[in-house]
Amino acid sequence: MRGLSIKLKLPLLIGGLVVVVTGVYAVAAYRAMARAAVTVATGRLTTVTDQLAQVLHASRNQLVAHLDSIARQPALVTYLARPGASRSRVALAALVPPPDRSSGVAGVALWSADRRRLLSQGEAPRRGLTADSALLRAAATADTAVVGAFRTVGDSLAYPVAARVGTPGRIQGYVVEWRWLAGSARAREQWNQLVGASAHVYIGNADGDVWTDLTHPVAAPPVDLTHATGLVRYDRPGVGPSYAAARPIDGSPWLVLVEYPVQAVLAPARLVLSRLMLIGAIVLLLGLAAAWAVSRTLTRPLVRLTHAAEAVAAGDYTQLVGSDSRGDELGRLATAFDVMVTRVGEAQQRLEDRVRARTAELQERNEELEAFAYSISHDLRAPLRAMGGFSQALLEDYGERLDQTGRQYAERVVAGATVMDQLIRDLLSYSRITRSELRLAPLDLRRVMQSATEQVADDVAARHARMVVNEPLPAVVGHETTLAQVLANLLANAIKFVPPERTPEVRVRAELRDGRVRLWVEDNGIGIAPEHHERIFRVFERLNPAEDYPGTGIGLAIVRKGVERMGGRVGVESQRGGGSKFWIELSQVEAVDDRERHSHSAG
Ligand code: ADP
């Protein structure tokens, strides 16, 4: 997640939120609805079952009353008292029920007190429907007619109603009527209207052997319902888990059972759940699309801002974010960024202009100063020479007339003028090296070396110095007279800064380093402590007293300035008392092409 771009993160976040919220909401809503549906369904189940039981009880009462009225007919009593062919016709006529009630009747029979069937109407006997003695015994003692348990006949169900003829004390016989259970699709539909389409109504015997759904016989419920008063829950094969309520029908061995499949109870909740899921999916899609659009509009200016910031980091102040007239925080940020970049760019420009102006000014001042120093030094030489010359003339022409002290004074004037002349000459050559235009060219280092050696020939001779030049000396890029003077200064120092009792030994050698030539001038002199290595290259810096090692302190300053103007570098490796190794580094001739430009610009 951390590496993802903001453009992706936002839609993912919003999508996740939508999924979680709709998921939690849908599950909570489903649970609440399911609970409510179960409560409603079970309440309804109980009510409906009670109502059905009452309805069935009422129709049982009608049947009983009807049969009682048949049993009371005098024709039957007469026939049973004295059976005979003539009276049997009258009795049979009395057994036939009124036409409007005959539809569900399978047959009616008249039984004797000793339980023999005397007369019979209808198909019942043919279908094996005969009264059992238990039913007749019950009829013998009951106040009214009794109904018996259902019996299966093929695909239909029938049940008997039995009434006594006579009084309990003097039983003359029995009337037994077999009725088909009113089983038709229409009847079933009527029941369903009462209980609701998703519920199933069953009627069966309380002892659980015969059950019907009002059209066909069905399997008995998988639990014993005889003593079940409240709700039961069980699995009916082929239907699944169901809630069920059973009620006995008073005055009969029957039970009515109403089943609600859990599936059907939860169907509305499931429907709501699937609708919620659908709505959730739509909201998710819309949310994703909106989040994508928002994150694009959010990140587009950020991306532009990033590019602009990177450009600024690279020093380009011209890349502005540009305003796309957004009024929000990002729009203000972009505007502020542009203003800031413009200001910084302007400030940078002003700074550069100022630095350029200052540099030019400084250069001008420097040049003026150098010109001033040059002309002063130059102009000083004439009076100095006059002083030196006239002092010398004083000594030569009037020496005898001066006493000892006078002569000493004149000699000191001459010596002072000589030192000062040397100082002025050194200053003039430093100034010349600083100011003159140097045209760099490939140089034969050996020839330059030779010229330098000639310049120090007097010193070599005076100190009997030994000088070794290690060949080869590769060609370098430089300015001939400047390089000759640089080398001469280094050689002169190498000979000069050696204790008087020691013979100076000077070695010159060259080495190649990345297209540059490093030229070493090594001596066996007094050496230089490392803390002075930087200082000695500055003007007038000297480490030793003038009585021991005379000098002006300008020689090494000339060396550094000259080498730098030829595009090179200088340095020294030395310890106090351990001799010194001075080096200068210049471009090698092979690599001249790209160095030359640099040297010119440096000069
Ligand atoms: P100068 O030689 O006129 O004194 P330089 O600028 O040539 O002035 O040298 C500055 C100082 O650096 C010298 O006074 C000396 O102390 C020190 N120095 C220069 N070259 C050497 C050397 N080869 N050995 C020891 N010390 C040196």
Side-chain angles (χ1 to χ4, degrees):
M1 192 79 182
R2 199 175 288 196
L4 281 181
S5 72
I6 296 177
K7 203 157 90 179
L8 270 180
K9 266 186 204 162
L10 198 66
L12 281 184
L13 192 74
I14 289 182
L17 268 178
V18 169
V19 166
V20 169
V21 168
T22 45
V24 168
Y25 179 69
V27 168
Y30 172 73
R31 286 188 158 195
M33 289 231 17
R35 225 174 296 130
V38 168
T39 311
V40 168
T42 52
R44 190 171 154 69
L45 190 59
T46 319
T47 319
V48 160
T49 314
D50 286 342
Q51 283 173 356
L52 281 179
Q54 281 166 21
V55 167
L56 286 169
H57 180 64
S59 62
R60 172 257 175 209
N61 287 348
Q62 278 179 11
L63 295 174
V64 165
H66 161 66
L67 203 64
D68 278 341
S69 71
I70 292 177
R72 276 196 295 274
Q73 292 187 77
L76 296 185
V77 179
T78 315
Y79 173 76
L80 284 172
R82 273 182 296 140
S86 62
R87 277 178 291 276
S88 77
R89 228 174 297 118
V90 183
L92 267 178
L95 283 180
V96 176
D100 59 324
R101 305 226 171 180
S102 64
S103 55
V105 178
V108 189
L110 185 69
W111 290 61
S112 67
D114 55 358
R115 294 172 197 149
R116 282 178 297 113
R117 193 169 57 208
L118 302 176
L119 296 173
S120 170
Q121 285 250 38
E123 55 176 337
R126 246 189 301 123
R127 308 294 292 266
L129 295 169
T130 51
D132 49 25
S133 49
L135 180 73
L136 298 182
R137 264 201 309 276
T141 53
D143 296 338
T144 61
V146 295
V147 293
F150 295 112
R151 211 178 284 177
T152 316
V153 180
D155 219 15
S156 313
L157 250 63
Y159 59 92
V161 188
R164 177 186 71 226
V165 181
T167 58
R170 198 173 156 275
I171 294 171
Q172 290 177 288
Y174 303 93
V175 180
V176 176
E177 182 183 64
W178 281 94
R179 302 187 74 96
W180 295 115
L181 183 66
S184 67
R186 226 187 93 242
R188 196 190 150 108
E189 203 171 291
Q190 282 169 355
W191 287 91
N192 278 349
Q193 272 172 6
L194 188 65
V195 299
S198 49
H200 303 294
V201 179
Y202 301 98
I203 297 179
N205 292 333
D207 60 11
D209 58 350
V210 177
W211 281 88
T212 177
D213 64 353
L214 299 178
T215 45
H216 305 288
V218 295
V223 293
D224 178 16
L225 296 168
T226 334
H227 304 293
T229 46
L231 277 176
V232 284
R233 205 191 129 128
Y234 54 73
D235 259 347
R236 179 179 280 277
V239 177
S242 306
Y243 295 105
R247 293 283 178 279
I249 295 156
D250 288 343
S252 79
W254 306 336
L255 275 184
V256 62
L257 170 74
V258 181
E259 273 182 19
Y260 260 127
V262 172
Q263 192 82 21
V265 172
L266 296 184
R270 296 237 163 99
L271 186 69
V272 168
L273 181 66
S274 60
R275 293 242 171 100
L276 280 180
M277 304 271 241
L278 184 70
I279 291 172
I282 293 172
V283 168
L284 179 65
L285 282 181
L286 290 179
L288 283 181
W292 179 254
V294 167
S295 74
R296 257 176 62 95
T297 40
L298 275 182
T299 50
R300 206 182 304 128
L302 282 182
V303 169
R304 286 220 304 270
L305 206 60
T306 311
H307 286 329
E310 280 165 358
V312 170
D316 178 3
Y317 294 92
T318 60
Q319 300 282 321
L320 297 183
V321 182
S323 147
D324 50 5
S325 67
R326 305 169 57 115
D328 60 6
E329 291 87 339
L330 284 174
R332 295 216 301 278
L333 179 63
T335 313
F337 183 85
D338 283 355
V339 171
M340 183 186 81
V341 169
T342 314
R343 296 243 171 98
V344 170
E346 285 168 2
Q348 179 85 3
Q349 189 58 44
R350 275 202 299 277
L351 207 64
E352 275 171 16
D353 289 351
R354 209 182 296 167
V355 166
R356 214 173 293 129
R358 285 276 163 83
T359 311
E361 202 177 312
L362 273 179
Q363 223 156 8
E364 202 176 317
R365 292 264 172 84
N366 218 13
E367 277 163 19
E368 275 172 17
L369 212 61
E370 280 168 359
F372 178 70
Y374 181 82
S375 55
I376 287 208
S377 312
H378 193 264
D379 293 354
L380 278 179
R381 284 194 77 187
L384 191 63
R385 238 186 255 126
M387 278 164 60
F390 280 112
S391 304
Q392 193 63 42
L394 188 67
L395 276 174
E396 280 168 13
D397 299 346
Y398 300 94
E400 293 120 54
R401 285 192 240 166
L402 293 174
D403 63 4
Q404 180 73 15
T405 316
R407 265 202 305 276
Q408 268 178 7
Y409 286 173
E411 277 164 5
R412 285 168 78 168
V413 172
V414 171
T418 312
V419 168
M420 197 161 166
D421 187 51
Q422 182 59 45
L423 185 63
I424 288 174
R425 267 189 293 148
D426 283 354
L427 274 176
L428 283 175
S429 32
Y430 179 73
S431 173
R432 209 174 301 123
I433 276 198
T434 307
R435 282 148 34 94
S436 62
E437 195 185 327
L438 300 189
R439 290 203 172 279
L440 302 188
L443 299 178
D444 178 0
L445 199 51
R446 272 181 315 179
R447 211 179 63 212
V448 183
M449 195 60 217
Q450 209 159 356
S451 148
T453 318
E454 277 162 20
Q455 289 182 42
V456 295
D458 287 351
D459 301 335
V460 174
R463 293 294 306 265
H464 304 293
R466 273 205 294 275
M467 232 168 78
V468 182
V469 178
N470 282 12
E471 303 270 346
L473 295 179
V476 295
V477 179
H479 181 257
E480 185 159 355
T481 46
T482 305
L483 184 56
Q485 182 170 8
V486 164
L487 290 177
N489 285 8
L490 289 177
L491 291 176
N493 282 352
I495 296 166
K496 180 164 69 173
F497 293 102
V498 178
E501 67 281 358
R502 201 184 294 169
T503 306
E505 286 175 8
V506 184
R507 189 165 84 113
V508 177
R509 65 189 174 88
E511 73 187 18
L512 291 177
R513 293 186 160 217
D514 306 331
R516 297 177 79 90
V517 178
R518 185 173 275 206
L519 196 66
W520 293 87
V521 178
E522 302 169 352
D523 64 44
N524 61 342
I526 56 175
I528 307 153
E531 63 267 28
H532 301 310
H533 285 185
E534 183 52 41
R535 208 182 107 190
I536 52 173
F537 288 99
R538 293 203 288 263
V539 182
F540 299 136
E541 292 288 355
R542 308 193 66 249
L543 305 178
N544 310 99
E547 307 86 67
D548 301 340
Y549 299 101
T552 58
I554 297 173
L556 285 182
I558 290 177
V559 168
R560 178 158 80 178
K561 180 63 84 178
V563 170
E564 280 174 359
R565 291 217 53 198
M566 291 185 288
R569 297 189 307 145
V570 297
V572 62
E573 286 177 11
S574 179
Q575 293 293 333
R576 186 148 186 78
S580 304
K581 296 174 175 184
F582 281 83
W583 57 262
I584 65 168
E585 215 175 69
L586 293 169
S587 296
Q588 200 188 343
V589 167
E590 278 83 5
V592 66
D593 289 354
D594 50 334
R595 305 275 179 194
E596 203 169 23
R597 258 175 282 130
H598 174 68
S599 308
H600 274 303
S601 61

